[in-house]
Amino acid sequence: MRISTTFCLCPVLVCLCFLQKCYGVSHHVPTSKVPITKNHTKLANGETEVHHRPKRGWIWNQFFVLEEHIGPDAQYVGKLHSNSDKGDGSVRYILSGEGAGSIFIINEVTGDIHATESLDRERKAHYVLHAQAFDRNTEKPLEPKSEFIIKVQDINDNAPKFPDGPFVAAVPEMSQVGTSVYQVTASDADDPTYGNSARVVYSILQGQPYFSIDPKTGVIRTALANMDREAREHYAVVIQAKDMAGSVGGLSGSTTINITLTDVNDNPPKFPQKNYQLYVPESAQVGKPVGKIKANDEDLGVNAAIKYSIINSEGAAMFSIATDRDTREGIISLKKPLNYERKKTYTLHIEGVNTHVEPRFSYLGPFKDTATLKITVGDVDEPPVFSMDYYIMDVYENARIGTEVGAVTARDPDSKNSPVRYFINLSEHGDKYFNIDMDSGVIKTTQSLDREDMPWHNITVMASEVDNPSLLSHVPVTVQVLDVNDNPPEIKTDEVVVCESSRPGQVIQTIAAVDKDDFANGQRFSFSLLSGIPVNPNFTLKDNEDNTASIIARRRRFSRLVQELYELPIVVWDGGEPALSGTSTLTLQVCPCQWNGKVQTCQDERGLLSSAGLSTGALIAILLCIVILLVIVVLFITLRRSKKEPLIISEEDVRENVVTYDDEGGGEEDTEAFDIIALRNPAAAEELKFRRDVRPEAARHCGGPARGCHSPPELDQVNVQKFIKQRLVEADMDTGGPPYDSLQTYAYEGQGSPTGSISSLDSPGTHSEQDYNYLDDWGPEFQKLAELYGEDMDSDAIGEAFYG
């Protein structure tokens, strides 16, 4: 296959074609297929032998097409041609691959290839395609399928760019010429391997003469010496990048670098003026600021940090100065109190020095400055001043009212020396124990003082000037109350226990005494029994002369059954001046003692319980258990008694006459349960006893006294107590009686009571003189009762009322 030479369609193509011809390079360099030649060899028999040479395969080089073609016609790329093509249109060319049929089209008859679109090398640099040749009549391939490349040739259509701009940079002020500041890099999308389309050079459009730039590397450097931040701090440098090596017709792009000069300590501090004045009143408080001063420094940050100091001794003794970190001012404070009357003016020499100094700028001079500050002390009316910071006074307790305790003094520190008045601050104490003389400052008592109640008193005395009472001074005064012997001693001891087995001469207990008074050399006590009374036959007292005494037994053995408590009055004396005595009566309790080997111990009943290990809670628990057991026993007995009694009762059993006391009965006609003859006439009771399950004969035959039966005979007055005791003996002797023979608990009231009996047992034979006619007004419910108590009520009515 062979490809014809293309013609240049535009001046650019003409140039390219000219360059290619000059350098022997074709615009598209395919390797054509060698045509087949036949070698003939004539044989001996006259025949000819044909020798075939083998075909070489297609090898395609690159086609070139310029990018950004803007002509009205499609751009011609190249031509495909086969040696089999005789020009009669029998060969058909086919193109396939990237962009075939859309970007690249081929003439099937001539094999000419055209680009229908404007191509962009930066988007796609080359295309891979395949070419084939077919016999149009037989559709057989005339050439094998071959691959070739169409490469988009670059033109300078992209300007350099700074993708990250604008930029920010900094460089110290006063830097040397040539100090590197920043490096910029521009990017160009054109092909860096072809021509100068991507070859960039840098230049400064704005920022000279302060900065320069390397045209190849893009490094920005300082170009001017001693650039001062205080004169100018910010610079905007515009950098240009141009391709085509900066030649005419190259494309360019620019960016801005904002360069800031950073501060260095190249300026010393300076006070705006050399002399200052300050007024300070003498009432200024120590440690508080009284004024301030400031030195200016044009530098920034630590380079402007200043330390102030007072360099003369007169000023440094009275004042101090410190630096405020925020404002960089020197704060002047007072070290000692001012006194206008002593010194009226002070002169301070103040120095301000930079704390961070750079040696390379030492040629600029010392980085410090000085100023003079004159302080004038102002006269102020000051409050009185006490002669002491605090006062301690003392006075004896029980001193008479008006006793002098001490005195305070104060004076006016001002030159006019105004008189002073004294007062006691009464708001600190509810009770007023002291007062003070307004003019002299003498403190006296106003109440009797008790050391045992309050040994110390703290008061505050105030002083004011007569000319200016609003100015007050305060001073604390402490008053100590001194002790006098005004409290008798007392015996301090617990309950004294005496063992029943005590022997004569045995020490029962050692006692001691206490005294509320305060003795400087220690308390001294002496003990004795109360004089003027008979000698105690049971106990004696021994003074041990060590502020203790021993109670000693004088006889053998004591008995708590005979006498449990003994009283022993004891007199104790203190060692004060004058000596005081107190009498205490001790109670001695006799109790049995336990022996534990050779050690004798004596404990009362409470001690024994405690030694047994039984606490109060345990004792309560035991008592509760006992009560519960008793309740259970009582309930059991009650249940046994409530069992049903037998119908036949022995002749001696008159229990029914008592157990039916609480029975209300069946009404007025039910009187069977109220046969109480046995309690009235024991002899008649023996005759009238009957079975409880059988009705008495008299009641069966006549139906009761109301039906014509005679009333019971008159009962004799007998000793019921004797009858009950007799029945009790009979019940106790009867071994075959039932187990509920505990009926012998009749509540006998006795005889001869002056109040008489309230029982209704004897009432049937008596008649009341009271008028019961008012019962008729109570209604039909009380009609029967009115008839019973009426004047015309006879014995038959009474019998009917009782027996129904």
Side-chain angles (χ1 to χ4, degrees), residues 498-502 556-561 590-593 602:
V498 180
C499 294
E500 290 184 328
S501 59
S502 297
R556 183 181 299 276
R557 299 191 65 82
F558 293 86
S559 175
R560 66 182 305 185
L561 299 178
V590 178
C591 67
C593 294
C602 180

Side-chain angles (χ1 to χ4, degrees), residues 491-502:
I491 293 178
K492 179 184 180 182
T493 183
D494 298 331
E495 188 178 71
V496 180
V497 177
V498 180
C499 294
E500 290 184 328
S501 59
S502 297

Side-chain angles (χ1 to χ4, degrees), residues 167-170 179-184 213 218-221 257 259:
F167 304 94
V168 176
T179 302
S180 177
V181 179
Y182 196 77
Q183 183 178 11
V184 294
I213 189 170
V219 176
I220 303 173
R221 303 178 186 276
I257 297 93
I259 300 176

Side-chain angles (χ1 to χ4, degrees), residues 317-601:
M318 292 296 296
F319 298 92
S320 63
I321 188 170
T323 303
D324 189 319
R325 293 183 179 180
D326 298 330
T327 62
R328 296 190 179 93
E329 295 176 329
I331 307 301
I332 303 171
S333 301
L334 187 63
K335 294 175 64 176
K336 296 180 181 179
L338 298 175
N339 193 328
Y340 173 81
E341 287 73 25
R342 293 182 181 179
K343 189 173 179 61
K344 296 178 175 60
T345 59
Y346 293 90
T347 300
L348 278 66
H349 298 293
I350 299 176
E351 182 182 62
V353 181
N354 279 145
T355 57
H356 297 79
V357 179
E358 296 188 23
R360 67 189 182 100
F361 298 114
S362 59
Y363 68 90
L364 297 176
F367 284 77
K368 61 182 179 180
D369 195 14
T370 58
T372 301
L373 175 63
K374 183 178 181 180
I375 296 179
T376 302
V377 180
D379 187 18
V380 178
D381 192 4
E382 302 174 82
V385 178
F386 284 95
S387 60
M388 299 177 64
D389 294 335
Y390 61 90
Y391 294 85
I392 298 178
M393 306 174 182
D394 54 57
V395 62
Y396 281 99
E397 64 175 331
N398 301 329
R400 60 183 178 83
I401 298 175
T403 300
E404 182 176 337
V405 178
V408 298
T409 57
R411 63 175 182 84
D412 182 9
D414 299 321
S415 56
K416 59 183 179 180
N417 195 15
S418 175
V420 177
R421 296 290 181 263
Y422 303 94
F423 309 92
I424 290 181
N425 187 0
L426 299 179
S427 62
E428 296 184 356
H429 302 283
D431 300 328
K432 183 180 179 182
Y433 295 96
F434 307 93
N435 63 6
I436 188 171
D437 186 270
M438 183 178 299
D439 298 322
S440 64
V442 176
I443 301 174
K444 297 181 180 181
T445 61
T446 59
Q447 297 183 18
S448 179
L449 304 178
D450 188 358
R451 188 200 68 84
E452 289 73 31
D453 182 35
M454 186 180 295
W456 295 88
H457 293 268
N458 296 316
I459 61 177
T460 300
V461 176
M462 300 181 296
S464 65
E465 297 179 8
V466 176
D467 298 338
N468 191 357
S470 61
L471 295 177
L472 296 175
S473 297
H474 303 75
V475 66
V477 178
T478 301
V479 179
Q480 180 184 9
V481 181
L482 303 178
D483 182 61
V484 297
N485 191 20
D486 60 343
N487 291 280
E490 298 177 356
I491 293 178
K492 179 184 180 182
T493 183
D494 298 331
E495 188 178 71
V496 180
V497 177
V498 180
C499 294
E500 290 184 328
S501 59
S502 297
R503 303 184 305 275
Q506 179 179 347
V507 176
I508 302 301
Q509 186 167 336
T510 300
I511 60 175
V514 294
D515 196 323
K516 296 180 180 179
D517 294 321
D518 183 21
F519 294 91
N521 299 323
Q523 296 181 344
R524 300 179 299 277
F525 299 108
S526 58
F527 303 85
S528 66
L529 294 177
L530 186 63
S531 60
I533 60 175
V535 178
N536 193 319
N538 302 310
F539 307 98
T540 185
L541 187 68
K542 177 185 176 183
D543 192 344
N544 299 324
E545 298 182 355
D546 60 353
N547 293 332
T548 63
S550 299
I551 302 175
I552 302 174
R554 301 189 63 178
R555 65 183 180 88
R556 183 181 299 276
R557 299 191 65 82
F558 293 86
S559 175
R560 66 182 305 185
L561 299 178
V562 177
Q563 184 174 349
E564 183 179 4
L565 299 176
Y566 292 88
E567 293 184 352
L568 185 64
I570 298 177
V571 182
V572 57
W573 298 80
D574 61 18
E577 292 292 339
L580 297 179
S581 63
T583 302
S584 301
T585 301
L586 300 183
T587 300
L588 289 71
Q589 180 182 3
V590 178
C591 67
C593 294
Q594 298 178 353
W595 291 86
N596 184 11
K598 294 183 180 180
V599 180
Q600 183 179 4
T601 60

